[in-house]
Amino acid sequence: MDSRANEQAPHPLRAIASFHAHVYYDQETRAEAERLRTWIGERFVVTLGRWHDAPVGPHARAMYQVAFANDVFPALVPWLMLNHGRLSVLVHPNTTHPLADHTGHALWIGAPLEIRGENLPEQSEAELPREPNTQPTLSP
Ligand code: ZN
């Protein structure tokens, strides 16, 4: 048993500034990723990141990012559980610890994929919340 576990306080919720969902796709599933992106943009106050058709940073597959505020989580994440289809989605918090955020603190919807943790700093202030740039036009 790890005695250090008893000495550490739990991480407070306020450590989470925002969330990302990374939607992964390949040539076969790109059309599904496009449809999911449209559906998300129609329904949720999120910031849709650009398409990354080549691996970038810790992401070993093509993907786009969906950035969202903490209060969007309880609607968007269950909706993604129902609607991700064949796509893998990584949902992770943004604290000041990118490596932990993308690995131990993350959850997968669909099949888990490789995360290249060696491309992430242990600590960084880079992922600050941004204003969402889409307004939903449909209900979830
Ligand atoms: Zn991210």
Side-chain angles (χ1 to χ4, degrees):
M1 197 175 131
D2 184 354
S3 62
R4 288 174 306 168
N6 293 326
E7 298 164 17
Q8 287 176 348
H11 298 285
L13 274 176
R14 67 175 181 278
I16 301 177
S18 65
F19 286 93
H20 287 170
H22 292 274
V23 178
Y24 297 88
Y25 59 90
D26 55 24
Q27 282 190 329
E28 191 186 325
T29 58
R30 172 140 185 164
E32 291 165 45
E34 289 175 12
R35 186 180 65 170
L36 186 66
R37 185 182 169 94
T38 299
W39 284 352
I40 293 168
E42 287 170 343
R43 288 166 177 79
F44 298 98
V45 179
V46 298
T47 300
L48 292 168
R50 63 190 181 87
W51 293 86
H52 292 280
D53 286 325
V56 58
H59 308 286
R61 301 263 193 101
M63 64 88 198
Y64 59 81
Q65 176 196 82
V66 182
F68 55 99
N70 295 358
D71 63 359
V72 177
F73 186 104
L76 176 59
V77 174
W79 186 93
L80 286 170
M81 290 172 175
L82 299 179
N83 292 294
H84 70 98
R86 294 187 294 168
L87 304 169
S88 291
V89 181
L90 175 72
V91 179
H92 72 80
N94 290 310
T95 69
T96 54
H97 297 85
L99 178 58
D101 291 346
H102 287 77
T103 56
H105 294 166
L107 64 86
W108 286 95
I109 299 171
L113 301 174
E114 178 195 354
I115 289 293
R116 295 173 177 166
E118 67 273 19
N119 293 339
L120 286 169
E122 279 193 30
Q123 202 152 0
S124 166
E125 309 284 336
E127 291 293 351
L128 296 172
R130 290 171 292 170
E131 286 300 307
N133 64 2
T134 63
Q135 290 297 322
T137 56
L138 300 172
S139 64

